[in-house]
Structure formats: C-alpha cells, structure tokens
Amino acid sequence: MEIRDTFALLSCVLLVLCGVTYGIKFLKKRNYLLGFEWLIVAFSGSNLLIYLLTEWKINYSISFFLDAFSRGFGVPIVATLGLMAVTHNYKPSVAKDVLIFAASFAATFVLVLADFVRAPLPYFYVIMWSGYTIYLFYFTWRLVCAGENLHALATAVGAAVALVVALVYDFFPIPGDDAKMVFMTFALTTWSYTMTQMYYAYGALARAMGDSSRSLLQVR
C-alpha cells in the first residue's frame, strides 16, 4: 500500500470519527438537522472506507449516494437550517425535520438517477456549496459581533478551504492523482475539520446569544 493510500484511509477514519462524535453531540443539543447530517457524513465515510479496503460495490454505491446528498442538499440546506438555530432562532419541530430530510433524500434520488441532470450536476453542486459558503461568512460575521474572533477566523478558514474542495472536486483535478487519493485526503480532512469547528463555533455563538439575552432581561 502506497503512502498516499494510507493517508486516504486515515482521513476516511478521521471523517467517520468526527461525524459520529459531533453528530451525537448535536443530537444531545436537540439539533437534529446538524446531528443527523453529521451522522450521515460519517456513515458515508464508513462505507467509503469499507469500499477502499474491500472494493465491495454496494458500499461504493451507498457512499456515492450519500455524498451526492450531502453536497447537494445535506450541507447546503439541512446544515444551514441547523445553524440558523443560533443565527435566526430557527428551531423547527421534529416533524419538520423529518420532512426536510425526506424532501432532500427524494431530490437526491433525482440527482443520482435522472439523465437530464448529469451534465449540469457539477455546476449545481458548486452553486449550492457557494450559497452555503455565503451563509458561513454571515455566520462568521455574527461570531465577530459576539466577540468570538478565534472561532470566526477558524470558521472563515474552513469555509474557504471547503469551497476550494467543492471547486476542485469536478473542475480542477490534481495532476497525477488519477486514483483521487490525494484529493480524497484533502477533502475528507477538510470536512472533518469543518464538522468539528462548526460544533464549537455553534456552541460559542449560542452561549454569546444566551448571555446577550440575559443581559437584556437584566436591563429591563
């Protein structure tokens, strides 16, 4: 096994660990949108890991579908709505959470199975991820306003690098990386960092908003 293959496998393990760890943590905060999306990413990563080790096609198919889900809807829509709990006090009911996931999965089946979307699909992914990135910079601004400058910087860096991943994914292949192991290491490590950082940034902004609300009540 070459060193690049080893790094790809390790980055896959890291993705699974981060997804499971922080997915469960978000569930404990009763943010089911972020919690289950992070767990979906972890499940996708675990299937990719099994495929890399065994070349079982079923695991590749599962990972491929869930990757399409997260790139098209899971992160740009589901995760954004989850983060809006601390930026817009958006806290949907469990029924709405289920509906959001159901609609996103249904739309993903169209992305994966419909022939008419294959040509524009890479552009669709980039557009969706760009929208998510714009929201993350708004999220970063909210962190700055709350005095959480370190989290703001870490979030902005993660957002920028993740956008680079989205662009490289379909449009700028790395020279000599025919098996995409180098890209895989870069992408999975970036997503692992992003899932971890967003948990702590979310908590920091939630605490800041809570302190602000208590201060306002004391003034009144």
Side-chain angles (χ1 to χ4, degrees), residues 68-129:
F69 169 82
S70 291
R71 292 173 66 197
F73 306 102
V75 173
I77 294 178
V78 177
T80 297
L81 291 175
L83 291 171
M84 285 174 64
V86 290
T87 59
H88 295 77
N89 198 33
Y90 177 71
K91 298 177 181 179
S93 64
V94 174
K96 286 185 178 179
D97 286 345
V98 172
L99 182 61
I100 290 168
F101 274 107
S104 297
F105 274 113
T108 303
F109 275 106
V110 176
L111 292 184
V112 173
L113 299 177
D115 292 334
F116 69 90
V117 299
R118 289 184 181 177
L121 189 55
Y123 301 95
F124 172 78
Y125 284 142
V126 170
I127 290 171
M128 294 299 288
W129 203 274

